[in-house]
Amino acid sequence: QVQLVESGGGSVQAGGSLRLSCAAFGVTYSINRITCVGWFRQAPGEEREGVATMSTPAGNTDYADSVKGRFTISQNNAASVWYLQMNGLKPEDTAMYYCAAGQSPPWGGCQDPRYQYNYWGQGTQVTVSS
């Protein structure tokens, strides 16, 4: 079992930056089996959408078109922590942000909608005001 804990959310003005963190806790063997980590977001009344994904340990990344060039996903391998650096925030980025991890082989890539993310964090709220 793997537990994911997000942090770093908050309220910022448009154009500002935030860095979200996602820390994995659990048996080392289970954490080391993680093959994909993704950041997702869900705004009230809207469907959840993928924001950024990263394969591990290869480090292949993918981003939603809406955040390309503004958001960066990264990993601290030693600490089993993943980050989402968000720059140039816009009001439309306002949402609850969740990190998720999976242990299946990413045949179609971690961004594949068919990829099964087994573990989810509790979410952290990001609010961007204009």
Side-chain angles (χ1 to χ4, degrees):
Q1 281 285 356
V2 176
Q3 290 81 43
L4 301 175
V5 179
E6 302 103 331
S7 61
S11 297
V12 296
Q13 290 191 326
S17 298
L18 285 173
R19 188 177 79 159
L20 307 183
S21 299
C22 173
F25 298 93
V27 177
T28 301
Y29 171 74
S30 292
I31 293 175
N32 289 342
R33 288 181 59 214
I34 291 173
T35 54
C36 289
V37 171
W39 284 97
F40 298 80
R41 67 186 181 187
Q42 187 168 20
E46 301 200 12
E47 292 189 358
R48 185 178 65 200
E49 66 168 333
V51 174
T53 62
M54 170 179 272
S55 65
T56 181
N60 298 316
T61 59
D62 191 78
Y63 298 91
D65 288 342
S66 58
V67 306
K68 280 181 181 176
R70 300 188 297 123
F71 290 11
T72 303
I73 186 171
S74 62
Q75 178 182 6
N76 179 335
N77 289 314
S80 298
V81 180
W82 288 263
Y83 303 99
L84 184 68
Q85 178 67 44
M86 306 185 295
N87 299 326
L89 283 162
K90 304 176 181 180
E92 51 263 43
D93 294 319
T94 295
M96 185 71 80
Y97 284 70
Y98 301 90
C99 72
Q103 297 171 324
S104 303
W107 304 119
C110 298
Q111 77 286 355
D112 190 335
R114 296 168 296 181
Y115 183 84
Q116 186 69 37
Y117 284 90
N118 305 100
Y119 305 105
W120 291 82
Q122 81 289 351
T124 186
Q125 178 68 36
V126 171
T127 302
V128 185
S129 58
S130 57

